[in-house]
Amino acid sequence: MSEAGIPPRVLEIAEGIRSMKIRGAGKIGRAAAEALKIAAEEYAGPRDLQVFKKYIGRVADILISTRPTAVSLPNAVMFVVSALKNAQDYESARSSIIGSANRFIEESLSAVKKISEMAARRIKENSIVLTHCHSSVAVSTITEAYRQGRVVKVYSTETRPFYQGRITATQLINNGVPVVQIPDSAVRYVMGEVDYVVIGADTVASNGAVVNKIGTSQVALAAKEARVRVYVVAESYKFSPVTLVGELVPIEFRDPTEVVPEDWLKQHPGVKVLNPSFDVTPPEYIDAIVTEIGVIPPQAAILVLMERLGWALEKIKQGVSTFTSIRFEDLLE
Ligand code: RUB
C-alpha cells in the first residue's frame, strides 16, 4: 500500500498499533478513529471528492492491516468511513470524517463508563475478583465496584508473554484497589477464593463466543469448574458482524522472541515456538456480557449486532462479506 501523501502522525498511529504501543481493543478503535480524523484534517491533496475518498480509503486500509483480531479496529474504521456515504462534495466529506471520528471516540468513552456502572452492580459486597490481561473496561469496572465496597481484593494474572497484567496491577493500585499479581499458571490455585472473573473482549462472535487474550479460555474453564461467575465487559463495537456469515475471527500469532529471548532461540535451533495472542472462550463458559446497551447472555449477541451494527450487516448483504478482504480504497471509489 502506498504511503505517499499520508500524514506522518497517521502512520505513527498505525505503527503504534502494530507494535502494541497502542493496545487493548477499545484504545485501538479510538486510535484508528483519531488517525482518520488527523488524515482528514491534514489532507493536502486536490479538493476533489473522489480523490479525497480514495485517500481516506488508503488510510483505512493501512489502519486495518495493523492487527487482525480485535474487531473494534475495522468496526471503528467502518463507522467513521461510512460517514462519506452522503457527502456531496469535498468539504462536506472532510467535515463528516472529522465529525464521525469525534462521535466514535465520545461514544466509545461513554460506553466504557456505562458498562462499568452496570457491571459493578452485578458484583456483591466484599468480593474477590480475578482478571486476565489488561482491559480498560475491566479495570474501570473493578475500580467502580471497589469504590462501592463491592471488591476487597483483585487477582491479576501477569499475562505472559507480553505481561499486560502489569499494566492492570499498576492501574488498579493507582486507583487504590488492593491487587495481587499472580503467574498465569496460578489461576486454578486461587480460583477457590475468587467470587467473579471480570475480563474484556477483543471480539464477540455472533454465537456469543468471546475472543480475548491468550489464556482467557483457561481462566474461564477453571472458573466453570469452581462455579465462579465469568463476566465479559465489552462495548458493542467489539461484536463482529462478519461472524454472522460464517467468518472465523482471525487469531494473531506474534513473534517467538516475545516468548523466549533471541539468544536462547539461536542456541536451540531445533526448538519451535508458538505464540498465539488470543483464544476463543465458548459461550457456555460465560455468565453474562455487559455492553453499554445492557447485560445479555452470550447467546443474545445477535441482538447487539442487530441494534448497533445494522449498517455493517447492510454491507454484508451488499456482498462485502469480510473485513479482511475489503479494500476500502476500492469500496470508496
Ligand atoms: C488486549 C486484550 C484485552 C481486550 C479488551 O490484548 O486482550 O482484554 O483488548 O481491552 P492486546 P479493552 O494487549 O494484545 O491488545 O477493554 O481495553 O478494550
Side-chain angles (χ1 to χ4, degrees), residues 211-232:
V211 181
N212 191 50
K213 180 52 54 191
I214 190 75
T216 301
S217 66
Q218 277 177 203
V219 172
L221 192 63
K224 176 108 175 160
E225 182 202 37
R227 293 167 190 254
V228 170
R229 281 178 194 277
V230 175
Y231 292 147
V232 173

Side-chain angles (χ1 to χ4, degrees), residues 211-259:
V211 181
N212 191 50
K213 180 52 54 191
I214 190 75
T216 301
S217 66
Q218 277 177 203
V219 172
L221 192 63
K224 176 108 175 160
E225 182 202 37
R227 293 167 190 254
V228 170
R229 281 178 194 277
V230 175
Y231 292 147
V232 173
V233 283
E235 307 89 303
S236 57
Y237 55 84
K238 292 174 182 166
F239 286 64
S240 166
V242 293
T243 54
L244 201 57
V245 289
E247 287 287 336
L248 297 175
V249 178
I251 300 292
E252 176 181 15
F253 287 83
R254 296 190 63 85
D255 203 83
T257 55
E258 285 181 0
V259 179

Side-chain angles (χ1 to χ4, degrees), residues 87-102:
Q88 301 298 325
D89 51 31
Y90 158 74
E91 288 297 343
S92 68
R94 185 171 170 269
S95 62
S96 59
I97 289 286
I98 297 170
S100 68
N102 283 335

Side-chain angles (χ1 to χ4, degrees), residues 20 22-28 30 67 70 72 112 132-139 162 164 167 199-202 211-214 216 233-235 237-238 252 254 277-278:
M20 286 177 66
I22 301 169
R23 46 146 302 283
K27 282 210 181 82
I28 290 173
R30 289 189 289 276
R67 285 189 83 189
S72 52
V112 173
H132 182 58
C133 192
H134 170 254
S135 149
S136 304
V137 198
V139 167
F162 211 79
Q164 289 95 329
I167 308 173
I199 44 166
D202 287 86
V211 181
N212 191 50
K213 180 52 54 191
I214 190 75
T216 301
V233 283
E235 307 89 303
Y237 55 84
K238 292 174 182 166
E252 176 181 15
R254 296 190 63 85
S277 206
F278 299 95

Side-chain angles (χ1 to χ4, degrees), residues 6 68 80 87 99 127 132 149 171 180 198 203 226 229 269 299 324-325 330:
I6 301 203
V80 176
S127 295
H132 182 58
Q171 289 188 350
V180 180
V198 178
T203 295
R229 281 178 194 277
Q299 291 77 6
T324 36
S325 70
D330 299 337

